[in-house]
């Protein structure tokens, strides 16, 4: 018997043939909680737009929030209970790879699962679809460009101690060698870390040219402040594959000197799709709402992709959805996108922090270049 699931369930939430219910799994606590509100708002905006266009298979799409910042096994049990009892017919959201690895084996063969967080690559579970960046498309070209333009040869990796940072660091070692450089040190800290004294000393002693930051949310914010206080921002640059505008705001402009980020979306991009998205977001939530950076915006992409997958297959059957997946495309803030091997093909950019915003410097990869 399944125990009750601890969720924020709205009074209007119903289970019947008129609705398509989706578990939205995003962090409401922990280091990643700093961008949780943007995740929720972006997903809700997408759901409202899907419903204005007629819903999914003629059914209203409704989101049920699940705290993806809890213990991964707890999250997986809660979502599995929702799926097994028929409360939800799909799953999406931003959550760390440890949560995805716990959830996917339990639910992916039952309902479509769209994972929106950048991750370490290699996910092959049937029924799982991925909207965000992987090291080969995101980190590799960024490291190459910084090697060419900034002369970086010695990298120091600082990450949280779980699968995404460790596997990404493994790829970074290879990328550095390919550019005639090397990773000269690595440090892994538990989620929620707030003491960086020893790590900063190691970076200084290693004489690193650059720090590859693989820290989540508020951990990265605290590291940025400590890094600047130690004066290391005058000695080496920082590159992050997980850094949005809300994290810049939390860090403060004095703590983000010579900080680079690489992602498939930045709020400062000024193309038609991005501008339309910002206008809709501001109209819906107001100008004081959390900035919809790449992490929150990914949840918008997740809802759109989930709806497109089901619409294309014309069924909720997971096997039929998988058979049609490579013919699916949709248009959102990141442009017109399609799937290849259950991964979304998209543009990737490199940006540099300037105060509380990012200045996009280069497009690193176009969709047709990705494999």
């Amino acid at each position: 018997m399944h125990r009750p699931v601890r969720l924020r369930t709205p009074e209007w939430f119903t289970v019947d043939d008129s609705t398509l219910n989706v578990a939205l799994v995003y962090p409401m606590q922990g280091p990643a909680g700093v961008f949780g509100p943007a995740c929720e708002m972006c997903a809700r905006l997408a759901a409202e737009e899907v419903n204005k266009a007629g819903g999914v298979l003629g059914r209203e799409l409704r989101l049920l929030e699940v705290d993806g910042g809890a213990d991964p096994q707890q999250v997986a049990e809660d979502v599995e209970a929702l799926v097994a009892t028929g409360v939800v017919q799909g799953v999406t959201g931003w959550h760390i790879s440890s949560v995805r690895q716990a959830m996917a084996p339990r639910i992916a063969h039952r309902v479509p699962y769209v994972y929106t967080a950048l991750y370490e690559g290699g996910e092959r579970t049937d029924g799982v679809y991925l909207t965000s960046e992987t090291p080969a498309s995101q980190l590799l070209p960024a490291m190459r460009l910084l090697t060419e333009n900034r002369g970086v040869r010695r990298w120091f990796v600082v990450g949280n101690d779980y699968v995404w940072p460790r596997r990404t660091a493994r790829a970074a070692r290879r990328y550095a060698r390919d550019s005639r450089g090397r990773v000269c040190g690595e440090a892994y800290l538990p989620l929620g870390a707030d003491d960086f004294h020893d790590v900063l000393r190691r970076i200084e002693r290693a004489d690193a040219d650059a720090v590859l930051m693989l820290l989540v949310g508020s951990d990265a914010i605290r590291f940025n402040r400590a890094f600047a206080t130690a004066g290391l921002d005058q000695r080496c640059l920082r590159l992050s594959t997980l850094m949005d505008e809300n994290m810049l705001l939390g860090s403060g402009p004095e703590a983000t000197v010579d900080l680079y980020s690489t992602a498939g979306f930045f709020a400062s991009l000024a193309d038609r799709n991005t501008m339309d998205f910002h206008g809709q977001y501001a109209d819906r939530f107001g100008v004081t709402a959390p900035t919809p950076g790449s992490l929150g915006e990914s949840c918008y992409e997740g809802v759109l992709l989930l709806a497109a997958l089901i619409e294309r297959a014309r069924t909720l059957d997971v096997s039929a959805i998988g058979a049609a997946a490579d013919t699916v495309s949709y248009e959102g803030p990141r442009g017109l996108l399609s799937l290849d091997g259950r991964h979304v093909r998209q543009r990737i950019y490199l940006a540099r922090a300037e105060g509380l915003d990012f200045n996009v410097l280069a497009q690193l990869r176009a969709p047709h270049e990705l494999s």
Side-chain angles (χ1 to χ4, degrees):
M1 175 180 292
H2 288 289
R3 55 174 180 69
V5 182
R6 298 190 304 273
L7 302 169
R8 294 188 346 194
T9 307
E11 293 180 0
W12 49 259
F13 198 85
T14 58
V15 181
D16 57 48
D17 290 340
S18 69
T19 64
L20 187 141
N21 300 325
V22 174
L24 174 64
V25 186
Y26 71 93
M28 303 177 193
Q29 60 178 300
V34 66
F35 45 82
C39 290
E40 177 192 4
M41 291 179 181
C42 289
R44 296 225 167 263
L45 180 62
E48 290 170 6
E49 292 178 6
V50 166
N51 289 330
K52 286 179 184 177
V56 182
L57 302 181
R59 300 161 67 172
E60 180 184 2
L61 191 157
R62 292 189 172 186
L63 300 175
L64 178 60
E65 299 170 20
V66 179
D67 183 6
D71 175 79
Q73 292 303 322
Q74 184 68 65
V75 179
E77 289 179 16
D78 287 350
V79 175
E80 183 183 23
L82 292 173
V83 171
T85 55
V87 174
V88 300
Q89 294 80 51
V91 177
T92 189
W94 195 107
H95 34 274
I96 66 173
S97 287
S98 300
V99 173
R100 184 195 78 251
Q101 289 184 326
M103 279 205 307
R106 294 171 178 254
I107 66 166
H109 58 293
R110 297 172 171 175
V111 297
Y113 171 24
V114 177
Y115 182 65
T116 77
L118 64 99
Y119 85 113
E120 64 281 356
E123 177 61 71
R124 295 291 183 267
T125 306
D126 287 341
V128 179
Y129 303 90
L130 306 110
T131 70
S132 285
E133 308 87 344
T134 58
S137 63
Q138 180 189 25
L139 180 59
L140 172 58
M143 289 179 67
R144 283 178 174 169
L145 191 62
L146 291 173
T147 295
E148 294 168 2
N149 293 353
R150 295 293 304 272
V152 175
R153 292 290 183 270
R154 296 170 60 82
W155 294 87
F156 195 104
V157 178
V158 179
N160 288 118
D161 192 7
Y162 72 100
V163 59
W164 165 64
R166 286 192 173 273
R167 291 193 181 173
T168 302
R170 184 188 309 168
R173 291 180 219 130
R174 184 171 67 254
Y175 302 157
R177 289 194 301 268
D178 291 346
S179 298
R180 292 177 294 178
R182 68 186 183 94
V183 170
C184 61
E186 300 178 37
Y188 299 95
L189 303 165
L191 288 163
D194 58 9
D195 183 359
F196 302 102
H197 177 74
D198 291 342
V199 174
L200 296 173
R201 289 186 62 190
R202 288 183 58 192
I203 294 170
E204 186 174 12
R205 289 198 301 266
D207 195 26
D209 301 314
V211 171
L212 174 58
M213 292 174 48
L214 303 174
L215 295 165
V216 176
S218 58
D219 287 12
I221 290 172
R222 288 189 292 269
F223 178 81
N224 280 335
R225 293 172 180 170
F227 191 86
T229 298
L232 289 173
D233 56 343
Q234 304 302 311
R235 299 181 49 165
C236 58
L237 63 84
R238 282 161 288 170
L239 170 65
S240 175
T241 58
L242 197 165
M243 177 68 62
D244 76 347
E245 290 79 2
N246 292 296
M247 293 164 67
L248 281 188
L249 178 63
S251 300
E254 68 284 347
T256 55
V257 174
D258 220 9
L259 169 64
Y260 293 82
S261 177
T262 175
F265 176 89
F266 287 98
S268 56
L269 286 167
D271 58 33
R272 177 182 62 83
N273 296 95
T274 305
M275 297 299 288
D276 287 349
F277 170 67
H278 284 308
Q280 294 161 356
Y281 185 88
D283 287 346
R284 176 64 177 85
F285 300 111
V287 295
T288 61
T291 301
S294 61
L295 310 177
E297 187 275 339
S298 75
C299 290
Y300 185 100
E301 302 280 337
V303 171
L304 292 188
L305 176 56
L306 184 60
L309 285 164
I310 296 170
E311 278 288 341
R312 182 66 175 178
R314 304 303 301 168
T315 178
L316 291 171
D317 180 75
V318 173
S319 297
I321 291 171
D326 281 348
T327 66
V328 168
S329 62
Y330 68 96
E331 188 166 12
R334 303 188 189 207
L336 180 62
L337 303 177
S338 59
L339 284 169
D340 181 11
R342 297 199 299 273
H343 286 71
V344 167
R345 298 161 61 93
Q346 62 187 292
R347 297 170 182 83
I348 306 291
Y349 304 91
L350 180 69
R352 184 177 180 180
E354 293 187 359
L356 300 178
D357 208 346
F358 283 108
N359 177 26
V360 177
L361 303 176
Q363 180 177 309
L364 300 176
R365 290 284 185 91
H368 67 275
E369 297 175 312
L370 305 180
S371 59

